[in-house]
Amino acid sequence: MPGARKTRKKNETGETIITLEGVSKWFGDFQALRDINLTVDKGERVVVCGPSGSGKSTMIRCINRLENHQRGRIVVDGIELTDNLKNIEAVRREVGMVFQSFNLFPHMRVIDNLALAPMLVRQMPKKDAEEMALGYLRRVQIEEQAYKYPGQLSGGQQQRVAIARSLCMQPRIMLFDEPTSALDPEMIKEVLDVMVELAEDGMTMVVVTHEMGFARTVANRVIFMDDAEIVEIAPPETFFSKPKSDRTKLFLSQILTH
Amino acid sequence: MTDTTAPIAAPPRAEGQADTDQPRSRQQPPPTEKIAVLRWMKENLFASPGNTLLTIILGAALIYWVPAFIKWGFIDAIWYTPDPEVCRQSDGACWAVVAEKHRPMLFGLYPYEEHWRLVVALAVYLGSFTITLIRRFWHWQILVPLWTVAIAVISTMLWGGVFGLTFVETSQWGGLPLTMVLFSGTVVLGFPIAILLALGRRSHLPLIKATSVTIIESLRGVPLITILFVAVNVFPLALPDGLEFDKLVRVMVGMAIFFACYQAEVIRGGLQAIPRGQYEAAESLGLSYWQMTTRIILPQALRIALPGIMNHIIAALKNTSFVLIIGLFDILTATTAVMQDPLWRRWFVEAYLFVAAVYFFFCYVLSKYSQQVERWLSEGRRF
């Protein structure tokens, strides 16, 4: 989308890749997002936390238009999200998403889960797509599961497959919607390790999670949301040691005390 | 919490943890079941007073009926005779009636000396059908040429008019080949319509949704006989002069649409069982609506709906017998007509049992097959 690309220098990380300006959304009468303003720079890792029902999932789902916003602007990689299907498809090609419940396609083998979108959306030849799929499976350390069905894998393995599936579309941005919340405790680490590696490779990431350890080590900024709005944005050091808002303090005391 | 120097370190324990096919040490074998016949009977036949009573009643009925049936149907039966008088002397079944009348029963009004063409058509049809059911041959490169040739041969055989074969009008088609043509036509035409109606009913576009709902609800509310009557008698009146469709085609289209309306609701049930996350995953990967529908949603929805789908396919096979009301002779109607023969009329039970066996054979094959497909589709999957 020439002309729509908006570049802005910010800190040392470079250009803005996601912009939300005054975004609001309602589900019926219930307001899920209230006047959200946020910019994410290329290569930045943003962790979003907050109590359930605070709108964090809704916010990141708006970024690839799984939900539509009713007021405000969202610009992703220079493309504004409107009702224009072309724009939506263009944004979805740039943005990968990992879900809480993995959402692998249960009727396809792991390798077909990975190769499908590159073949259909990017018209990649089958052989190349499968080769690439195996490459990404190797990166997430489950190459040997390639010819199984998702139902035969553990939760942690499934989530790593889901991450690899998104990576196969070579996205510039990755969204994670509570990627470890549905996992048994002993499987959380294997998924977080993959995400850390991805962060080290310079991927732009927006992560909704309650894993505060992950936020501390990986995030550039932590966002706290409550009651449909952004309450506080701060670098992790400040966020955890000197939170400004009382609501943030309350939330942190609730999740960090046990 | 994370070792940032190592490459993505999957803990060794994670691998194989969910693998069911790997041997596990320290596992104890399950206790061996010693199922004695007596224990099986106690658990399955005499578990409770009600159960025992039922067993006794059914057992008595079986002891009373089965030997009598075997005596009538096999021991005393006359298997073959051209002379009805021989049957008259016997107490057993007269299967000779089937031998005597099988040609008009199976082939209806079709010209007698051309019956060999129907045998060829049926053989080609059943052969192609069998190949189609075998999973190894599920490739477009095999099935498309196969059916192109099969349909060409079957049409040539049925219609004739080329290669020196006499032309036979569709109104003279009858018996099993007619049943087969109607059934296949109904399913092949009806199934894509069913899928479109099911998708249309779930569409977000109001016009498409309203159209689908109207078609499904209005046609489901009408008996099949009415639809056939309209297709045969009313529809031609609505056409401009000179434009005419073959009666068989009109009947087939009517049956297909009727089939589609029911099937659409079964498929919609399958569609509703697909979690929203499947749509979201497909969308977030950038798949278009049709890519998502054909590759992600429908394969899963059709699998879930398979028992119901098969139900309606079997019903479609039996619904073909409705064509009797519009003067076409399918296998059942042809048998009724043949049994008007005063010489053989008294053995109509045997004739109808034969037709029942033909229907049962095809329906049983279809339902067994659908169970097999369900097993194939759930291989390697737990969800």
Side-chain angles (χ1 to χ4, degrees):
Chain A
M1 304 295 124
R5 187 171 287 273
K6 195 172 126 184
T7 55
R8 181 161 61 94
K9 279 281 174 201
K10 190 193 168 192
N11 303 336
E12 66 285 346
T13 40
E15 64 184 285
T16 300
I17 198 163
I18 305 171
T19 309
L20 282 78
E21 283 175 11
V23 172
S24 295
K25 170 164 184 69
W26 290 260
F27 291 111
D29 288 338
F30 174 77
Q31 185 158 21
L33 295 177
R34 188 180 313 120
D35 200 20
I36 301 288
N37 290 293
L38 174 68
T39 57
V40 178
D41 287 350
K42 205 170 161 185
E44 199 182 9
R45 280 94 59 186
V46 177
V47 164
V48 186
C49 61
S52 82
S54 58
K56 24 185 219 311
S57 285
T58 308
M59 182 179 81
I60 76 161
R61 288 159 59 87
C62 281
I63 295 174
N64 70 347
R65 195 72 175 190
L66 287 181
E67 306 285 357
N68 58 341
H69 56 287
Q70 284 135 321
R71 203 175 283 167
R73 284 177 84 221
I74 299 178
V75 182
V76 180
D77 201 20
I79 306 160
E80 174 156 10
L81 279 170
T82 58
D83 287 330
N84 185 332
L85 272 175
K86 282 263 172 300
N87 283 11
I88 295 173
E89 282 174 13
V91 166
R92 284 178 179 162
R93 276 197 292 271
E94 302 299 325
V95 180
M97 181 145 192
V98 175
F99 300 87
Q100 179 177 355
S101 48
F102 328 136
N103 294 343
L104 295 177
F105 305 132
H107 59 302
M108 292 179 184
R109 296 172 310 171
V110 164
I111 188 164
D112 302 322
N113 263 276
L114 269 69
L116 181 76
M119 283 161 61
L120 292 183
V121 181
R122 298 222 189 271
Q123 275 87 41
M124 194 182 269
K126 186 174 182 190
K127 203 172 138 280
D128 299 357
E130 292 189 344
E131 222 163 81
M132 182 179 70
L134 287 173
Y136 279 111
L137 286 175
R138 202 173 307 131
R139 271 191 68 180
V140 299
Q141 307 252 321
I142 38 176
E143 200 185 0
E144 70 284 356
Q145 312 285 4
Y147 298 97
K148 289 189 180 168
Y149 285 93
Q152 294 168 292
L153 308 188
S154 72
Q157 291 171 330
Q158 288 193 47
Q159 193 61 297
R160 286 188 280 151
V161 170
I163 294 172
R165 178 175 71 176
S166 287
L167 293 176
C168 278
M169 285 299 286
Q170 285 151 346
R172 306 185 62 188
I173 302 164
M174 285 286 284
L175 307 175
F176 294 83
D177 189 0
E178 306 205 24
T180 56
S181 301
L183 295 175
D184 290 335
E186 79 273 19
M187 292 172 185
I188 291 175
K189 183 172 183 297
E190 68 192 59
V191 171
L192 290 180
D193 286 349
V194 169
M195 291 167 63
V196 169
E197 154 113 343
L198 206 54
E200 282 163 0
D201 287 353
M203 177 67 78
T204 308
M205 294 163 73
V206 181
V207 185
V208 174
T209 187
H210 294 123
E211 296 295 331
M212 290 302 126
F214 176 81
R216 231 187 275 267
T217 30
V218 174
N220 300 102
R221 284 185 295 164
V222 180
I223 295 176
F224 175 67
M225 286 184 76
D226 190 17
D227 191 21
E229 58 191 8
I230 293 180
V231 176
E232 189 159 348
I233 304 183
E237 318 79 75
T238 335
F239 183 84
F240 290 110
S241 52
K242 297 190 277 295
K244 284 199 219 76
S245 144
D246 289 340
R247 284 196 276 177
T248 315
K249 284 176 198 159
L250 178 66
F251 176 74
L252 286 175
S253 72
Q254 281 164 341
I255 63 165
L256 294 177
T257 42
H258 56 84
Chain B
M1 83 168 300
T2 45
D3 176 5
T4 48
T5 53
I8 324 167
R13 167 226 43 79
E15 255 55 67
Q17 192 192 37
D19 290 351
T20 46
D21 50 351
Q22 292 195 1
R24 293 179 184 179
S25 57
R26 295 187 47 75
Q27 278 211 341
Q28 297 173 327
T32 349
E33 291 283 335
K34 292 194 199 93
I35 303 179
V37 177
L38 280 176
R39 196 169 130 216
W40 182 89
M41 284 175 71
K42 187 171 184 322
E43 279 176 5
N44 294 286
L45 298 177
F46 304 102
S48 67
N51 194 321
T52 308
L53 188 69
L54 210 61
T55 302
I56 290 169
I57 293 173
L58 286 176
L62 285 178
I63 289 165
Y64 184 76
W65 288 105
V66 171
F69 179 79
I70 290 174
K71 189 168 184 314
W72 173 80
F74 296 93
I75 299 168
D76 293 346
I78 304 297
W79 294 96
Y80 180 74
T81 170
D83 179 10
E85 210 38 53
V86 178
C87 278
R88 217 180 284 273
Q89 305 300 327
S90 151
D91 290 336
C94 179
W95 299 116
V97 70
V98 176
E100 183 70 20
K101 296 291 183 192
H102 73 278
R103 286 180 66 165
M105 278 161 72
L106 287 176
F107 301 134
L109 298 178
Y110 206 85
Y112 194 82
E113 58 283 5
E114 306 289 342
H115 279 181
W116 65 271
R117 284 161 52 180
L118 300 182
V119 176
V120 174
L122 272 179
V124 170
Y125 177 76
L126 293 177
S128 311
F129 205 88
T130 310
I131 291 173
T132 307
L133 297 188
I134 298 171
R135 194 192 194 183
R136 197 163 359 118
F137 300 123
W138 286 1
H139 301 290
W140 295 115
Q141 302 94 302
I142 296 175
L143 293 184
V144 172
L146 172 76
W147 280 101
T148 312
V149 173
I151 290 170
V153 172
I154 292 170
S155 318
T156 312
M157 285 298 144
L158 288 174
W159 261 298
V162 285
F163 308 126
L165 298 169
T166 332
F167 176 71
V168 181
E169 273 185 62
T170 55
S171 58
Q172 286 181 287
W173 295 10
L176 196 54
L178 179 68
T179 301
M180 153 200 111
V181 166
L182 282 171
F183 167 66
S184 309
T186 302
V187 174
V188 170
L189 274 177
F191 208 81
I193 302 176
I195 289 176
L196 291 178
L197 285 175
L199 293 172
R201 192 162 186 169
R202 287 170 56 83
S203 171
H204 298 298
L205 307 171
L207 190 66
I208 292 178
K209 187 179 169 129
T211 312
S212 303
V213 171
T214 311
I215 293 175
I216 292 172
E217 294 303 338
S218 57
L219 289 178
R220 273 203 310 174
V222 174
L224 177 56
I225 291 197
T226 314
I227 291 178
L228 295 182
F229 188 79
V230 169
V232 171
N233 297 321
V234 182
F235 182 68
L237 304 178
L239 285 179
D241 282 345
L243 188 60
E244 229 178 285
F245 290 106
D246 191 282
K247 186 155 92 172
L248 186 63
V249 173
R250 280 180 272 148
V251 167
M252 204 189 286
V253 170
M255 284 185 155
I257 293 174
F258 184 79
F259 169 78
C261 290
Y262 279 89
Q263 199 70 281
E265 289 295 277
V266 174
I267 295 170
R268 189 166 69 97
L271 289 171
Q272 275 169 345
I274 306 299
R276 194 162 151 225
Q278 292 289 308
Y279 292 87
E280 292 179 347
E283 281 176 359
S284 73
L285 286 168
L287 267 55
S288 70
Y289 173 80
W290 285 108
Q291 288 170 339
M292 174 175 78
T293 303
T294 56
R295 307 300 289 271
I296 308 299
I297 305 303
L298 274 179
Q300 297 184 63
L302 294 179
R303 174 182 174 268
I304 292 168
L306 192 63
I309 289 173
M310 218 52 195
N311 213 5
H312 282 293
I313 288 180
I314 289 172
L317 174 58
K318 292 183 291 182
N319 279 349
T320 53
S321 57
F322 275 110
V323 293
L324 92 122
I325 61 131
I326 43 141
L328 289 173
F329 287 79
D330 73 307
I331 181 166
L332 184 62
T333 319
T335 303
T336 308
V338 168
M339 282 300 111
Q340 303 305 312
D341 180 348
L343 280 180
W344 293 93
R345 192 157 51 190
R346 56 185 293 181
W347 297 286
F348 66 91
V349 171
E350 286 85 338
Y352 281 124
L353 276 177
F354 170 71
V355 176
V358 172
Y359 275 112
F360 178 79
F361 171 75
F362 287 109
C363 294
Y364 188 72
V365 166
L366 284 174
S367 67
K368 272 292 164 203
Y369 181 69
S370 89
Q371 289 170 14
Q372 183 60 46
V373 171
E374 277 177 61
R375 268 195 295 278
W376 285 340
L377 293 180
S378 51
E379 259 171 28
R381 261 179 269 163
R382 289 170 288 166
F383 66 95

